[in-house]
């Protein structure tokens, strides 16, 4: 596991534990003469300790944008609104008021997504590769926010593009296949069964509280079925290919990397030592391809919400020779 991934996981685990402890320790009443030190400690935990951990473990350690520091502050405000006594919770009522403009914004975004998806699906009839890869290439010279937004908008049409063989019938030939567990039909079956059980369980438990919420939540979770199928088809048939002078690497549906071929300065096949835990390794098993880039390229993880700049990429593929022979005029090979 890479260091940046460990840092993010450590923060998530610490944040969940600290929020849980804070909620458990929150007194039912606010008595200024007796328990004000407890509430002072809770506010310090929510608005100083947790944001500081986010700053150190996520923003600084993984080189993310500073505006993402708003995430722990907004989360802490939400926790305070629903866990603090009434006297204090009222100060965080603004979180509840925000739901109205947020609903309006989400409605506009939803309409924009529907229009964008329909338009992109119409274009997908003749597309030769992943709509997300096209978005990355089109927005390559834009700043990170615009590029990330474009990739996120491309995820829904990409889902249907890979879900329906009719739309991906013109896909360029695959160069090689990453060795991925998600390419197994048995794994797809296990994931679908697990999704059905999870959807049924969520509906059962939420229905005891609100049937409407149960229907909404279980429907959203059940909708993930199309992502599972799209992920299987990507892993099985389209994990590594060349599109318009770019090497596209699909490390399952959530993670993607698009590398300009001219940016690949060196390719090694089975001539390198076992990579360190900090290296970007894609595919299970021992890597058999090493790509050395002349300048860092961006690896988009978790639907482009997490980005990493890497100069070396290790791949575990079924046909390393096809990658080593890639564009011989531009790449210095070492086999």
């Amino acid at each position: 596991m890479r260091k940046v991934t460990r840092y993010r996981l450590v923060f998530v685990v610490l944040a969940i534990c600290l929020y849980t402890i804070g909620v458990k320790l929150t007194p039912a009443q606010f008595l200024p003469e007796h328990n004000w030190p407890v509430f002072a400690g809770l506010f310090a935990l929510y608005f100083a300790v947790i944001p500081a951990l986010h700053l150190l473990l996520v923003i600084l350690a993984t080189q993310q944008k500073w505006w993402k520091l708003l995430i722990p502050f907004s989360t802490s405000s939400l926790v305070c609104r629903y866990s603090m006594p009434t006297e204090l919770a009222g100060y965080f009522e603004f979180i509840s008021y925000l739901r109205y403009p947020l609903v309006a914004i989400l409605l506009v975004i939803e309409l924009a997504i529907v229009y964008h998806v329909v338009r992109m699906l119409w274009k997908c009839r003749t597309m030769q590769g992943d709509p997300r890869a096209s978005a990355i290439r089109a927005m390559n010279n834009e700043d990170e926010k615009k590029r990330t937004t474009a990739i996120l908008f491309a995820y829904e049409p990409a889902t249907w593009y890979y879900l329906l063989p009719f739309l991906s019938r013109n896909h360029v030939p695959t160069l090689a296949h990453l060795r991925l567990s998600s390419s197994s039909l048995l794994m797809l079956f296990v994931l679908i069964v697990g999704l059905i059980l999870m959807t049924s369980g969520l509906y059962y438990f939420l229905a005891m509280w609100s049937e409407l919420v149960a229907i909404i939540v279980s429907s959203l979770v059940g909708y993930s079925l199309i992502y599972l199928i799209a992920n299987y088809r990507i892993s099985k048939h389209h994990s590594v290919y060349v599109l318009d002078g770019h090497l596209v690497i699909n490390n399952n549906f959530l993670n993607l990397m698009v590398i300009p071929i001219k940016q690949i300065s060196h390719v090694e096949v089975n001539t390198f030592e076992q990579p360190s835990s900090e290296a970007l390794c894609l595919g299970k098993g021992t890597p058999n391809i090493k790509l050395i880039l002349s300048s860092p390229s961006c690896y988009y993880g978790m639907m482009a919400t997490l980005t990493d700049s890497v100069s070396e990429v290790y791949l575990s593929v079924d046909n390393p020779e096809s990658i080593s022979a890639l564009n011989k005029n531009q790449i210095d090979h070492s086999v």
Side-chain angles (χ1 to χ4, degrees):
M1 183 182 295
R2 302 177 66 215
K3 183 185 294 185
V4 293
T5 305
R6 290 201 301 269
Y7 283 150
R8 290 163 183 162
L9 288 177
V10 167
F11 170 74
V12 170
V13 172
L14 286 177
I16 292 174
C17 293
L18 292 176
Y19 279 126
T20 302
I21 292 172
V23 171
K24 293 292 184 181
L25 295 180
T26 302
Q29 294 182 333
F30 176 55
L31 304 174
E33 297 181 355
H34 298 88
N35 56 13
W36 69 265
V38 176
F39 286 98
L42 290 174
F43 284 125
L45 174 67
Y46 291 151
F47 296 100
V49 176
I50 293 178
L53 289 173
H54 187 271
L55 175 64
L56 295 174
L57 296 175
V58 178
I59 294 179
L60 296 179
T62 65
Q63 298 180 348
Q64 300 297 304
K65 296 295 182 179
W66 280 74
W67 66 265
K68 294 184 180 181
L69 194 59
L70 292 173
I71 296 175
F73 282 108
S74 58
T75 305
S76 296
S77 298
L78 185 65
V79 171
C80 290
R81 169 63 181 83
Y82 292 102
S83 66
M84 291 287 178
T86 306
E87 301 91 329
L88 297 176
Y91 291 102
F92 300 93
E93 188 66 26
F94 68 90
I95 291 291
S96 299
Y97 295 149
L98 287 176
R99 68 179 181 268
Y100 300 110
L102 285 177
V103 168
I105 293 173
L106 289 175
L107 181 60
V108 173
I109 293 175
E110 187 66 26
L111 293 175
I113 290 176
V114 171
Y115 168 76
H116 178 74
V117 169
V118 173
R119 186 168 62 89
M120 288 294 293
L121 286 178
W122 181 255
K123 291 183 178 180
C124 281
R125 297 175 302 115
T126 57
M127 273 191 175
Q128 295 183 318
D130 198 322
R132 298 169 299 163
S134 300
I136 293 173
R137 291 186 291 109
M139 304 295 289
N140 190 47
N141 296 324
E142 301 291 342
D143 59 45
E144 183 182 343
K145 288 184 180 179
K146 292 182 179 179
R147 190 165 61 249
T148 301
T149 302
I151 299 171
L152 286 173
F153 269 84
Y155 254 92
E156 189 65 22
T159 304
W160 293 97
Y161 178 77
Y162 284 113
L163 178 70
L164 304 175
F166 169 76
L167 292 177
S168 55
R169 67 188 185 280
N170 295 320
H171 201 290
V172 295
T174 301
L175 192 64
H177 297 92
L178 283 175
R179 295 167 178 163
L180 300 169
S181 299
S182 53
S183 63
S184 167
L185 192 60
L186 177 60
M187 176 61 70
L188 175 64
F189 176 76
V190 171
L191 290 175
I192 291 177
V193 172
L195 180 65
I196 294 173
L197 294 176
M198 181 185 298
T199 304
S200 303
L202 284 172
Y203 179 84
Y204 175 78
F205 288 109
L206 291 176
M208 295 186 290
W209 174 57
S210 171
E211 187 169 356
L212 177 61
V213 173
I215 292 174
I216 294 174
V217 173
S218 58
S219 299
L220 291 175
V221 175
Y223 186 72
S224 301
L225 175 65
I226 67 171
Y227 296 106
L228 293 180
I229 298 176
N231 181 57
Y232 165 75
R233 295 199 69 245
I234 288 174
S235 303
K236 183 71 173 179
H237 304 292
H238 309 293
S239 55
V240 182
Y241 59 92
V242 175
L243 179 65
D244 295 334
H246 291 71
L247 180 64
V248 181
I249 305 173
N250 267 307
N251 183 35
N252 69 51
F253 190 58
L254 296 178
N255 308 305
L256 177 70
M257 192 169 190
V258 179
I259 308 172
I261 293 179
K262 62 182 180 181
Q263 195 173 318
I264 304 175
S265 62
H266 195 66
V267 175
E268 295 182 9
V269 180
N270 293 326
T271 61
F272 48 87
E273 299 178 356
Q274 181 68 22
S276 68
S277 59
E278 306 304 322
L280 177 62
C281 299
L282 306 180
K284 65 179 183 179
T286 303
N288 49 16
I289 283 286
K290 179 182 179 181
L291 304 178
I292 302 175
L293 311 183
S294 58
S295 59
S297 186
C298 192
Y299 176 69
Y300 300 93
M302 299 304 294
M303 298 181 67
T305 57
L306 299 174
T307 57
D308 290 323
S309 294
V310 295
S311 298
E312 295 182 353
V313 183
Y314 293 84
L315 305 177
S316 177
V317 297
D318 61 347
N319 186 15
E321 289 75 17
S322 62
I323 298 180
S324 69
L326 179 65
N327 202 341
K328 295 182 179 179
N329 295 327
Q330 297 186 27
I331 300 176
D332 175 27
H333 302 281
S334 174
V335 181

